[in-house]
């Protein structure tokens, strides 16, 4: 399960809630948020200020255009969907600069 390190867990929770369209599924311990994305898949966001902004992950979504539109409406900055070599991607950065790439 990918994990992303952040400095401000409250700001990260707002950003990842906008990204994923819902709040975290679990708060297993202090400083950790967890989203379940499907069978055997998920995303963890840790409050770890000394390592914040040095993480990244790729998440596959079913409708990249719809997600991009939803993120725009939610105020999440991005440069739009772009064509990579064999897939389309949407590059994002959370408030700490962690790279999140969505693909379809």
């Amino acid at each position: 399960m990918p994990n992303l390190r952040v400095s401000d867990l409250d700001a990260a929770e707002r950003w990842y809630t906008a990204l994923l369209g819902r709040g975290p599924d679990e708060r297993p311990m202090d400083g950790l948020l967890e989203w379940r994305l499907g069978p055997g898949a998920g995303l963890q966001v840790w409050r770890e200020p000394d390592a914040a902004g040095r993480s990244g992950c790729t998440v596959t979504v079913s409708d990249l255009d719809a997600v991009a539109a939803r993120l725009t409406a939610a105020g999440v900055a991005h440069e739009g969907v772009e064509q990579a070599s064999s897939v389309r991607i949407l590059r994002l950065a959370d408030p700490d600069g962690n790279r999140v790439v969505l693909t379809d």
Side-chain angles (χ1 to χ4, degrees), residues 25-85:
D25 296 303
E26 299 282 337
R27 296 170 190 273
M29 63 180 65
D30 186 41
L32 174 61
L33 304 172
E34 204 168 86
W35 281 263
R36 285 187 227 105
L37 304 177
L43 180 70
Q44 294 181 321
V45 176
W46 289 89
R47 182 182 60 237
E48 196 173 334
D50 292 341
R54 298 184 200 146
S55 306
C57 69
T58 300
V59 177
T60 301
V61 299
S62 60
D63 187 341
L64 192 57
D65 295 312
V67 172
R70 181 178 56 75
L71 292 174
T72 298
V76 175
H78 60 81
E79 298 293 321
V81 175
E82 59 188 282
Q83 183 67 46
S85 58

Side-chain angles (χ1 to χ4, degrees), residues 1-4 15-16 19-20 37 42-45 54-60 90-92 94 98-103:
M1 177 179 309
N3 63 75
L4 300 146
W15 193 87
Y16 284 95
L19 172 68
L20 299 170
L37 304 177
L43 180 70
Q44 294 181 321
V45 176
R54 298 184 200 146
S55 306
C57 69
T58 300
V59 177
T60 301
L90 181 65
R91 297 182 212 211
L92 305 165
D94 76 6
N98 290 309
R99 174 68 61 161
V100 177
V101 177
L102 303 180
T103 185

